[in-house]
mmCIF file of all heavy atoms in Angstrom:
data_model
loop_
_atom_site.group_PDB
_atom_site.id
_atom_site.type_symbol
_atom_site.label_atom_id
_atom_site.label_comp_id
_atom_site.label_asym_id
_atom_site.label_seq_id
_atom_site.Cartn_x
_atom_site.Cartn_y
_atom_site.Cartn_z
ATOM 1 N N LEU A 207 21.486 43.394 34.121
ATOM 2 C CA LEU A 207 21.003 44.756 33.893
ATOM 3 C C LEU A 207 21.095 45.600 35.160
ATOM 4 O O LEU A 207 21.372 46.792 35.079
ATOM 5 C CB LEU A 207 19.542 44.684 33.347
ATOM 6 C CG LEU A 207 19.298 44.057 31.939
ATOM 7 C CD1 LEU A 207 17.882 44.096 31.644
ATOM 8 C CD2 LEU A 207 20.132 44.820 30.932
ATOM 9 N N GLY A 208 20.882 44.956 36.306
ATOM 10 C CA GLY A 208 21.040 45.671 37.583
ATOM 11 C C GLY A 208 22.391 46.214 37.734
ATOM 12 O O GLY A 208 22.583 47.335 38.271
ATOM 13 N N ALA A 209 23.423 45.433 37.351
ATOM 14 C CA ALA A 209 24.810 45.931 37.461
ATOM 15 C C ALA A 209 25.048 47.118 36.537
ATOM 16 O O ALA A 209 25.808 48.048 36.951
ATOM 17 C CB ALA A 209 25.789 44.790 37.125
ATOM 18 N N CYS A 210 24.456 47.084 35.392
ATOM 19 C CA CYS A 210 24.547 48.247 34.467
ATOM 20 C C CYS A 210 23.901 49.478 35.068
ATOM 21 O O CYS A 210 24.469 50.594 34.958
ATOM 22 C CB CYS A 210 23.931 47.867 33.125
ATOM 23 S SG CYS A 210 24.798 46.558 32.186
ATOM 24 N N VAL A 211 22.718 49.229 35.668
ATOM 25 C CA VAL A 211 22.039 50.430 36.334
ATOM 26 C C VAL A 211 22.844 50.947 37.471
ATOM 27 O O VAL A 211 23.010 52.197 37.625
ATOM 28 C CB VAL A 211 20.654 50.000 36.798
ATOM 29 C CG1 VAL A 211 20.002 51.082 37.632
ATOM 30 C CG2 VAL A 211 19.757 49.596 35.700
ATOM 31 N N ALA A 212 23.518 50.100 38.160
ATOM 32 C CA ALA A 212 24.351 50.514 39.281
ATOM 33 C C ALA A 212 25.574 51.332 38.845
ATOM 34 O O ALA A 212 25.908 52.366 39.396
ATOM 35 C CB ALA A 212 24.811 49.337 40.082
ATOM 36 N N VAL A 213 26.185 50.915 37.767
ATOM 37 C CA VAL A 213 27.341 51.657 37.167
ATOM 38 C C VAL A 213 26.870 53.031 36.733
ATOM 39 O O VAL A 213 27.535 54.020 37.073
ATOM 40 C CB VAL A 213 27.964 50.878 36.001
ATOM 41 C CG1 VAL A 213 29.008 51.741 35.286
ATOM 42 C CG2 VAL A 213 28.607 49.590 36.529
ATOM 43 N N GLY A 214 25.781 53.098 35.997
ATOM 44 C CA GLY A 214 25.302 54.339 35.546
ATOM 45 C C GLY A 214 24.820 55.243 36.667
ATOM 46 O O GLY A 214 25.094 56.452 36.695
ATOM 47 N N GLY A 215 24.157 54.652 37.687
ATOM 48 C CA GLY A 215 23.696 55.410 38.808
ATOM 49 C C GLY A 215 24.820 56.020 39.638
ATOM 50 O O GLY A 215 24.746 57.154 40.146
ATOM 51 N N GLY A 216 25.905 55.255 39.807
ATOM 52 C CA GLY A 216 27.062 55.777 40.558
ATOM 53 C C GLY A 216 27.638 57.011 39.887
ATOM 54 O O GLY A 216 27.990 58.019 40.474
ATOM 55 N N PHE A 217 27.832 56.898 38.559
ATOM 56 C CA PHE A 217 28.393 58.030 37.837
ATOM 57 C C PHE A 217 27.393 59.236 37.750
ATOM 58 O O PHE A 217 27.749 60.366 37.878
ATOM 59 C CB PHE A 217 28.750 57.619 36.391
ATOM 60 C CG PHE A 217 29.391 58.730 35.536
ATOM 61 C CD1 PHE A 217 30.597 59.218 35.852
ATOM 62 C CD2 PHE A 217 28.701 59.197 34.480
ATOM 63 C CE1 PHE A 217 31.174 60.197 35.153
ATOM 64 C CE2 PHE A 217 29.176 60.257 33.762
ATOM 65 C CZ PHE A 217 30.482 60.755 34.022
ATOM 66 N N GLY A 218 26.090 58.856 37.674
ATOM 67 C CA GLY A 218 25.051 59.876 37.570
ATOM 68 C C GLY A 218 24.932 60.690 38.859
ATOM 69 O O GLY A 218 24.755 61.854 38.842
ATOM 70 N N GLY A 219 25.150 59.982 40.027
ATOM 71 C CA GLY A 219 25.134 60.664 41.290
ATOM 72 C C GLY A 219 26.234 61.665 41.387
ATOM 73 O O GLY A 219 26.099 62.792 41.853
#
Side-chain angles (χ1 to χ4, degrees):
L207 293 179
C210 293
V211 174
V213 170
F217 182 68

